[in-house]
Amino acid sequence: MPRTSDPDPDPDEDDLDTIPPPRPVFYAEQALLGALLLEPRRLDDVTDIGPDAFSTAVHAAVFAAIRSLPTPVPAQHAENVKWLDAVLSSAREQTRGLNAAYLHTLIQMCPWPRHASAYAEMVEADHARRTLRTHAQRLAQTATDPTLPHPVETALAEAAALSGLLEALSARFRPHPNSLPRTPSLAPVNAPQVHEEAMDEERLLLATATAHPAEVEQMRWLTADDLTLPLHAGLWRCLTSLSRRAAPVDPVTVLWEAQRNGLLTAGAEPADIISLLTAGAGSPQYWGERILQRALLATAHETGRRIEAYTDDPATTPYQLVTGSRRALADLNALRTRWHHSTSPTPPSSRPPRPQLSAPPRAGPPRTAMATSRIPR
């Protein structure tokens, strides 16, 4: 987990303009550590966080030192600083630059030691926000990484890890009214460089599906929304509609269906559509999987960016983060199901085999009472 730089008691004046101001959680961490340094017994009230919950390496080291040392007797702790010296010595093993003056600063920053559990809840909430942000960033980056040998599997693994985190967070933070976060505004991104490649794959899908319409019925895992160009999406709807009506499928019938659905606009001339539907190569299944993969990765990238945008709003509560993130993952989960259907082998038919009728018995002499009765001598 990335943390901010360690607190520096004497920063250079030239660097003051580049140091961001501390966020509220920084003061919550100071107050919590100050409470524990003043009254170490308060550690019993802080059970849900660990050193990784703190935003700076110094704070994490101090908390780890406090937790690793035996709790001193309150009366003895009030009379000497032996336990504080032990905390300082232990924390210095993990981070450099820590001194006794900063421990005194932590103590001074604590308004009330009895509020330690409240400070801990603040630290835990911000840690949840940072952790969720890291997972969301990882999902978005994975979905656009061209070097991955198995991008879909990697992206789905990141999505599964994110879902597991949301399950853990939902158990730790209580629900409350107004659980939906505010809709974030996403910054625009540059158009992907593979736009022309996607267009070519969609054209090949439409042409091969027209040439092999029997395979279209087996591709219910592909929807028109997976195609990037509106004209291509409309033509795919035409193809699937004809196929499910068991109507004839060829370039002319698809063109007629396109006209009925209002697809013949100024940019879609009939001759162009006929040409598009007759230039196929490969199989619809192959091109359909390619298109579905591209749609899944695009959705994963968008999902990661949306969840990251939720974490950027400091007014969003942890439970709102959970609710909003789950909604953002819904579309990706639906695509994952369709992806598994597309890549799984077709299961054998579930119908029981037809019973095979045995050959009728060969005809024999009729059985009569005379035939079975004893012949008198």
Side-chain angles (χ1 to χ4, degrees):
M1 179 66 63
R3 296 192 175 97
T4 59
S5 58
D6 298 345
D8 185 357
D10 296 313
D12 295 336
E13 294 184 0
D14 294 340
D15 297 334
L16 290 178
D17 294 337
T18 62
I19 298 177
R23 297 185 299 114
V25 70
F26 182 82
Y27 300 103
E29 293 175 3
Q30 286 187 322
L32 172 60
L33 295 174
L36 299 179
L37 292 173
L38 280 169
E39 299 181 8
R41 61 185 177 84
R42 299 288 179 185
L43 187 61
D44 295 336
D45 302 332
V46 183
T47 57
D48 294 332
I49 63 173
D52 61 339
F54 291 83
S55 61
T56 73
V58 168
H59 290 175
V62 173
F63 183 80
I66 293 173
R67 198 171 62 169
S68 65
L69 295 172
T71 303
V73 178
Q76 296 178 354
H77 180 59
E79 294 177 355
N80 58 68
V81 295
K82 290 184 178 179
W83 187 80
L84 292 178
D85 291 339
V87 170
L88 178 61
S89 177
S90 177
R92 276 178 172 172
E93 296 177 1
Q94 302 182 43
T95 183
R96 296 180 298 176
L98 181 63
N99 51 37
Y102 191 66
L103 293 188
H104 289 291
T105 299
L106 295 175
I107 293 173
Q108 293 172 357
M109 292 300 297
C110 177
W112 295 102
R114 65 175 179 267
H115 295 166
S117 59
Y119 304 146
E121 290 179 2
M122 301 173 193
V123 172
E124 182 184 14
D126 197 78
H127 176 235
R129 182 186 305 276
R130 297 196 312 272
T131 305
L132 183 59
R133 180 181 177 85
T134 299
H135 277 73
Q137 289 175 334
R138 195 176 298 157
L139 174 62
Q141 293 169 0
T142 299
T144 55
D145 187 352
T147 65
L148 295 175
H150 305 289
V152 171
E153 289 75 5
T154 307
L156 291 180
E158 293 292 345
L162 200 154
S163 296
L165 172 64
L166 294 176
E167 287 296 325
L169 294 180
S170 65
R172 287 162 55 187
F173 295 98
R174 296 186 299 272
H176 55 77
N178 301 324
S179 59
L180 290 179
R182 291 179 291 186
T183 302
S185 57
L186 300 181
V189 295
N190 296 329
Q193 299 296 325
V194 294
H195 183 72
E196 286 301 325
E197 182 180 352
M199 295 297 99
D200 291 340
E201 291 175 354
E202 292 176 8
R203 296 186 191 102
L204 288 167
L205 167 71
L206 295 171
T208 54
T210 304
H212 306 281
E215 297 187 29
V216 174
E217 187 63 21
Q218 308 301 323
M219 297 173 62
R220 291 178 177 265
W221 41 263
L222 186 69
T223 69
D225 292 336
D226 298 327
L227 283 71
T228 57
L229 193 68
L231 173 62
H232 294 171
L235 290 174
W236 180 250
R237 289 192 186 94
C238 295
L239 275 164
T240 55
S241 177
L242 290 172
S243 175
R244 289 166 189 173
R245 298 200 314 257
V249 177
D250 59 41
V252 175
T253 60
V254 175
L255 175 64
W256 190 259
E257 187 76 8
Q259 177 180 254
R260 292 179 55 190
N261 286 272
L263 298 179
L264 301 186
T265 61
E269 300 295 336
D272 296 334
I273 293 180
I274 290 289
S275 177
L276 183 154
L277 297 175
T278 54
S283 69
Q285 178 83 17
Y286 174 79
W287 298 117
E289 288 184 9
R290 295 275 298 179
I291 292 168
L292 184 59
Q293 172 177 316
R294 195 181 305 280
L296 189 150
L297 293 176
T299 302
H301 180 254
E302 185 73 7
T303 300
R305 293 182 64 237
R306 183 165 297 278
I307 296 176
E308 182 182 356
Y310 284 140
T311 65
D312 288 338
D313 186 355
T316 306
T317 66
Y319 192 77
Q320 286 177 323
L321 290 176
V322 171
T323 305
S325 299
R326 281 176 168 171
R327 288 201 167 194
L329 279 170
D331 291 341
L332 181 58
N333 290 334
L335 270 167
R336 174 175 54 189
T337 300
R338 293 197 283 122
W339 172 257
H340 288 161
H341 287 166
S342 72
T343 56
S344 300
T346 304
S349 175
S350 58
R351 294 181 180 177
R354 286 177 136 191
Q356 294 184 354
L357 299 178
S358 56
R362 300 177 70 179
R367 288 184 147 187
T368 63
M370 292 294 296
T372 58
S373 63
R374 183 186 293 264
I375 300 176
R377 294 182 180 180

